[in-house]
Structures are given as C-alpha cells and as structure tokens.
Amino acid sequence: MSSRLVVETREIDPVEDLLAYADPSRPLAWLRRGDGIVAVGDAIVETVRIPAGAAALRSAAIARAWRELAQDAEIDDELGLPGSGLVAFGALTFDEDSAADSILVVPALVIGRHHGRTWITRIRSSSASAPATEPQPEAATIAYGPHWAGTVGPGAQSPQGYQDSVRQALERIAAGELSKVVLARDLTGSIPAGSDLRRLVRALSTGYPDTWAFAVDGLIGASPETLVTVQQRTVTARVLAGTIGRGADADADTVASSHLASSTKDLDEHEYAVQSVLASLRPHTRALAASEQPFLLKLPNLFHLATDVEGELADGGSSLDLVGALHPTAAVAGTPTSAAIAAIRELEPFDRGRYAGPVGWVDAAGNGEWAIALRCAQFTPAETDIAVTAYAGAGIVAGSDPESELLETRVKFRPLVDALA
C-alpha cells in the first residue's frame, strides 16, 4: 500500500432497511435479525484476492494481508460497536486447491446497525482527498428492482450419482480410512440478467432470521452455523452436525425432534464436529468450554443438533487467525481432516469454490463474525443471464443410508430454492 486508510464512523438516525443501500448487482451484506453491516453502493477502496497457488495457506495469506492493511489505518470511531470502524467483508474457499479466489473487500461506505444504534463508516485512501461535503445517508438508497425468478436443476452431481458417492464413502469408512466425510451435491441454473440480488438476500434474511444472511462477491446465502466470532477477546462458536427435517404438524415435529435427539448416528456425527472445533481452538484460547450435551436448534425447515463453545483469546490472534485454525471443521469436511478432504476431492465431481468455506467480516482490531457458507449459491454474470450454482451436503458416517442423505440435501436446498422461485 502506497498510502494508509483513513476511516471515520459516525452515529446516524435509525435506518429501517439496510439492504436499500446495497448495490443491486453485487451486494455486500452481513445480516442477522435485522442487525449487521451493508456496503453502500458499489465503491470499493481495497480488494485482497488470494488465488489458487498463490500461497500454501490462503487463510494465513488473507490474515497477513489484513494485518498489513489495518495496522497503519487512521481510525476515528466513536461507537466501538461490532462492525463499526474499519471493516472488510470476506469469503474464503473451502479447499486450498480450489480454482476460486479467497477474497477480502473493503468498501468506501458502510452502513450498520447493532442493538438499536445505526452508523455510517466512510473509508478512503489517505492519498484521496476527502469530499468537500459528505453525502447524506438517505441520498444513497437505491430502489429495489422488479421481482424475478430463477430455475435450478441437477448440476455436475446427479441424485443417483450422489447416492453412489455416499456408498463409496461408506466403503472407505468400513475399511477404516476415515470416520466421517461430508459429501455435497450441486444444483445449477440461471436468473435473468440485471436481477436485483438484494431481493434474494432480503428473502433469506426475513425468512430465516436466526441465520447469518450474507452476500460477498456473488456468494449469497443464509448460514445457521457460526464458525467463530471474536469481540473484545471473547471467542464463541456454534457447532451444528446432525440434521432432520421438520414435521408437517406439531405432533410430527415432536417425533422428528425426539428421533434426532436420540439418534446414535447423529450424536456420533455431532461429537466428531465438536471435538474438531475444541481441538482447533485450544492452542489459541484459555478457559474454553462447551456444553456437555447438544441442544436442538429449530429452523423453519429443519432441526439441527447444536453445541455452543466459548473461550477467551489467549494470544495476539484475530478472528481471521482463528478462521484459519478452525477451517475446515468436521461439520463440513469430516474426520480425520486430511483423509476427508482427499475423499471429497475424489467423490465430488465439482469444485466447491467458497461453498462450506468461511464467510463474514473482520475489523482492524481483529474482531469479527464468521460463519460457514452453507444454504448458499454462487452467482456469476454470464453472456445473457446470471449463472447460479447452489450447494448442499450431508455428513456420512457408519450407518448412513444413501437415500436418507440425499433427502437431507433436498431439505437443505429448500431455503435457497424457495427464495429463487
């Protein structure tokens, strides 16, 4: 960097709809229960891209680049709230060998809300002159484009192909090569050129308010799984593994939740995921604790087994450093990690890109909120329309049934497929 970043955050009057400020074609957004941060318009101050082959560990390269960018920044932030001050939106690839880029994006304008307080952050290079008059926030809103619909169908992995891959994974598990592997399948399709992608973000955010709704560099989704959050050195994570679809009525719901809570297969799968997170966090934390038994997380379309983890950051690390230590967890890769990644590369006929990779934001102090990019799709402009690739996966352990795992992926596709329609 030839010049440092200059950052100013100021509190403003409450804003009803943060997404009204986002760029319709390339929104940058991070939302949960109406709070969060959104880039205003399409002006970008800095983009850090780490392509395949550029670094042995792209997460480490991203963390290093962010430290260099943030350390000299001149920050005037009167609020000190999560998401205020200097922030970057990030999306990292699932696999270090992916052809997709891992990316951090620093917008020129960010509008945010946290527990009833709203602010605007202006970010510029010190070599760029400050505007003579600051634009008022309300002047930056963009009217929503017309409603649109998209269609998706089987992609590189057909439903039958997926079940065949599950059977091959079960053979490897029986042979002792690994204990668990998470296998995904894809749906591909398109939406009309010029579609206002904020409509999809809004549908996911309002329909699934307990998830992290995100939009970063064309990756849009609503993830129920927190990878890690860091705020004032407090570290938290939420582990999800073990899933069942919701019932059609209250009685069926009770049966489904009871089945999940007592399923040896799902409890084993969940324990693998919890232990992988604890093992990854221990070197970086102290007073690390997790609940002894998982709880049931109820979403509009399914139940998950969930465990919350909390600790205190022990070293000089940031949320990005913890992202690098944690990813990939057993919840999205498997156990042991190296064997699971090898199996995924052989059994999935596509590059996951950023699906199941870390997505979130980081600030200058290393605080941040990061989820695992699930219930999501990648949107890529094409010649005549916008290409869509959506992903969903399921954890395969001893006792898994190929047809049941396929049905689980259908349930997980539903939030995005419904929103596209």
Side-chain angles (χ1 to χ4, degrees):
M1 284 286 293
S2 57
S3 60
R4 69 185 187 282
L5 297 180
V6 178
V7 183
E8 181 187 75
T9 294
R10 292 291 180 265
E11 191 160 8
I12 60 174
D13 291 336
V15 165
E16 184 70 24
D17 181 12
L18 295 180
L19 280 171
Y21 294 83
D23 178 32
S25 61
R26 302 292 282 187
L28 279 169
W30 179 263
L31 300 166
R32 190 166 188 253
R33 289 203 164 276
D35 283 358
I37 52 175
V38 169
V40 179
D42 61 358
I44 302 299
V45 175
E46 187 77 20
T47 300
V48 177
R49 286 187 182 271
I50 310 294
L57 276 176
R58 287 197 263 185
S59 57
I62 282 273
R64 187 165 54 251
W66 177 244
R67 269 193 295 273
E68 293 171 357
L69 198 61
Q71 65 185 0
D72 297 325
E74 180 184 317
I75 302 171
D76 178 4
D77 176 12
E78 300 173 343
L79 281 78
L81 293 172
S84 68
L86 175 62
V87 293
F89 294 81
L92 281 61
T93 59
F94 170 80
D95 190 336
E96 293 290 343
D97 289 348
S98 172
D101 294 344
S102 290
I103 190 170
L104 280 181
V105 183
V106 183
L109 278 174
V110 180
I111 195 162
R113 183 169 60 210
H114 180 76
H115 291 176
R117 301 181 73 183
T118 307
W119 65 88
I120 190 164
T121 298
R122 296 177 171 91
I123 306 171
R124 63 180 174 85
S125 167
S126 60
S127 61
S129 56
T133 57
E134 298 289 4
Q136 294 305 301
E138 57 270 18
T141 57
I142 303 170
Y144 283 92
H147 285 277
W148 51 265
T151 55
V152 289
Q157 180 68 293
S158 68
Q160 184 58 51
Y162 183 76
Q163 293 180 80
D164 291 342
S165 291
V166 171
R167 291 186 187 94
Q168 292 177 58
L170 288 169
E171 290 174 2
R172 297 183 184 210
I173 291 169
E177 295 178 26
L178 66 172
S179 302
K180 173 187 174 181
V181 62
V182 180
L183 292 181
R185 67 187 184 99
D186 60 330
L187 296 177
T188 59
S190 65
I191 63 173
S195 294
D196 190 336
L197 293 177
R198 297 175 302 169
R199 287 195 173 277
L200 176 61
V201 183
R202 188 168 67 170
L204 292 170
S205 179
T206 56
Y208 297 84
D210 289 319
T211 67
W212 300 107
F214 57 86
V216 181
D217 199 42
L219 182 72
I220 298 176
S223 176
E225 185 150 8
T226 307
L227 180 61
V228 68
T229 69
V230 177
Q231 188 62 32
Q232 307 302 335
R233 305 198 70 76
T234 296
V235 178
T236 58
R238 172 167 286 180
V239 184
L240 303 184
T243 306
I244 196 168
R246 295 282 302 274
D249 53 38
D251 289 341
D253 240 11
T254 300
V255 170
S257 61
S258 298
H259 176 81
L260 181 61
S262 60
S263 164
T264 301
K265 175 259 181 189
D266 287 291
L267 289 167
D268 286 348
E269 179 187 340
H270 187 80
E271 186 62 17
Y272 287 133
V274 172
Q275 291 306 318
S276 81
V277 167
L278 291 174
S280 298
L281 284 178
R282 279 192 190 103
H284 304 276
T285 56
R286 48 178 168 254
L288 187 64
S291 50
E292 289 188 9
Q293 298 293 327
F295 64 92
L296 282 173
L297 178 66
K298 182 167 70 173
L299 295 174
N301 62 323
L302 45 75
F303 290 106
H304 284 299
L305 291 175
T307 294
D308 285 337
V309 175
E310 183 171 331
E312 182 186 349
L313 198 60
D315 51 28
S318 71
S319 61
L320 271 173
D321 293 314
L322 294 185
V323 163
L326 283 165
H327 179 75
T329 68
V332 291
T335 308
T337 304
S338 57
I341 294 292
I344 288 167
R345 288 171 178 165
E346 293 171 26
L347 298 177
E348 289 181 358
F350 53 81
D351 182 338
R352 286 188 178 187
R354 297 161 182 162
Y355 163 70
V359 61
W361 63 266
V362 62
D363 73 7
N367 299 312
E369 294 173 332
W370 293 86
I372 299 174
L374 304 172
R375 320 295 190 268
C376 64
Q378 182 71 48
F379 292 78
T380 308
E383 287 186 12
T384 57
D385 51 26
I386 300 171
V388 182
T389 305
Y391 304 90
I396 314 304
V397 296
S400 289
D401 172 65
E403 187 172 353
S404 297
E405 304 301 340
L406 177 67
L407 292 174
E408 181 175 321
T409 65
R410 285 180 181 162
V411 172
K412 290 175 175 176
F413 271 126
R414 207 178 88 194
L416 199 79
V417 171
D418 287 354
L420 285 171

